[in-house]
Amino acid sequence: MNKPLILVVEDDNSVKNLITTTLKAHDYRYLTAPNGATAILEASSHNPDIVLLDLGLPDIDGVEVIKKIRTWSNMPIIVISARSEDTDKIDALDAGADDYLTKPFSVEELLARLRVTQRRLNMIQNGAAAEASVFTNGQLRIDYAAGCAYLGDDELHLTPIEYKLLCLFSRNIGKVLTHTFITQNIWGSSWDNDIASLRVFMATLRKKLEKDADSLQYIQTHIGVGYRMMKVE
């Protein structure tokens, strides 16, 4: 089975060479683009499986590239950028990016993000994503039709909001969801008090999913940005 085809969008040759050398060493197939216009052309003509995108491109901002690709494709986009402010991460994720890696980064971290994205891609391609009637992740099982969730053999006693949150994360497993995205999907708005409420509901949901220190971690917090459901074995 072929490794995913990855489009590397980066104008800094030293960073581009680091990424492509890493991809080649791990048998990934790749294309490169030095600017936003070429990236959009390559994405539309070659339909890569994953895009690694720098935001600071010489012609157009990387966020605009994300928005343009999202008009026709849901291909996973991992942003790799020197912009480390939470607002930059949120802008990119809200535009449609799946993940965000801040420069400088380690090769191991890049490969780990690719593996997470690849697992999510495989789940979608194998039909085990959102439209399945039963979702399974480690000991967590959600029966969408029955409106019930289980951890091992025990039914989870969730409030309606907690259940909606759990379903939203399960349908976007492996993807960082911003506070704005979550609150708009749950409450239809994204005021400060919605985000404050979200933190409370997330705390109670995590207590039910991760009952003690030895429990599997299902939800990962991205401080100042949002949350992500992790794929666990």
Side-chain angles (χ1 to χ4, degrees):
M1 179 177 160
N2 285 335
K3 282 281 186 100
L5 175 63
I6 298 175
L7 173 59
V8 180
V9 187
E10 175 61 69
D11 64 317
D12 184 321
N13 282 330
S14 61
V15 176
K16 181 186 73 177
N17 291 339
L18 171 64
I19 294 172
T20 55
T21 300
T22 300
L23 295 177
K24 189 172 183 179
H26 291 82
D27 299 321
Y28 284 98
R29 299 173 296 141
Y30 63 86
L31 302 161
T32 62
N35 55 53
T38 306
I40 292 165
L41 180 63
E42 294 284 8
S44 61
S45 56
H46 292 281
N47 195 32
D49 297 297
I50 300 172
V51 179
L52 298 179
L53 175 68
D54 180 30
L55 293 183
L57 299 170
D59 53 349
I60 54 178
D61 192 81
V63 172
E64 295 305 313
V65 175
I66 297 169
K67 291 177 180 176
K68 185 73 74 175
I69 290 175
R70 283 292 173 257
T71 62
W72 84 83
S73 175
N74 286 320
M75 63 181 67
I77 299 172
I78 302 175
V79 167
I80 299 179
S81 177
R83 301 178 192 174
S84 58
E85 294 296 321
D86 287 343
T87 52
D88 294 316
K89 296 179 183 179
I90 290 167
D91 287 345
L93 292 165
D94 279 341
D98 293 78
D99 205 349
Y100 197 109
L101 192 58
T102 304
K103 297 177 183 175
F105 57 89
S106 69
V107 166
E108 290 75 16
E109 189 176 9
L110 172 62
L111 291 170
R113 299 298 179 93
L114 283 173
R115 287 193 295 271
V116 168
T117 304
Q118 194 175 344
R119 283 198 293 268
R120 179 168 171 263
L121 198 59
N122 289 340
M123 288 182 70
I124 294 169
Q125 292 172 342
N126 292 336
E131 298 309 318
S133 60
V134 177
F135 167 87
T136 304
N137 183 21
Q139 291 192 321
L140 175 65
R141 182 165 55 89
I142 306 171
D143 187 331
Y144 295 129
C148 298
Y150 303 85
L151 197 62
D153 296 325
D154 300 324
E155 182 175 353
L156 290 169
H157 299 288
L158 304 175
T159 67
I161 293 293
E162 288 168 350
Y163 180 73
K164 284 177 71 175
L165 283 166
L166 190 61
C167 289
L168 183 64
F169 285 116
S170 69
R171 290 187 167 107
N172 293 276
I173 187 168
K175 182 174 180 177
V176 178
L177 304 184
T178 65
H179 296 135
T180 299
F181 178 87
I182 297 168
T183 53
Q184 285 180 342
N185 273 270
I186 301 300
W187 289 288
S189 60
S190 190
W191 301 104
D192 287 344
N193 60 340
D194 293 327
I195 294 174
S197 297
L198 173 62
R199 291 195 178 99
V200 174
F201 280 109
M202 288 303 301
T204 59
L205 176 59
R206 293 180 80 162
K207 281 181 182 177
K208 294 175 182 180
L209 288 175
E210 303 161 11
K211 295 182 179 180
D212 54 55
D214 296 325
S215 297
L216 292 170
Q217 184 186 14
Y218 287 95
I219 306 293
Q220 183 183 67
T221 300
H222 289 252
I223 296 171
V225 177
Y227 302 91
R228 179 210 319 247
M229 176 176 278
M230 305 299 293
K231 175 68 178 159
V232 300
E233 300 303 328

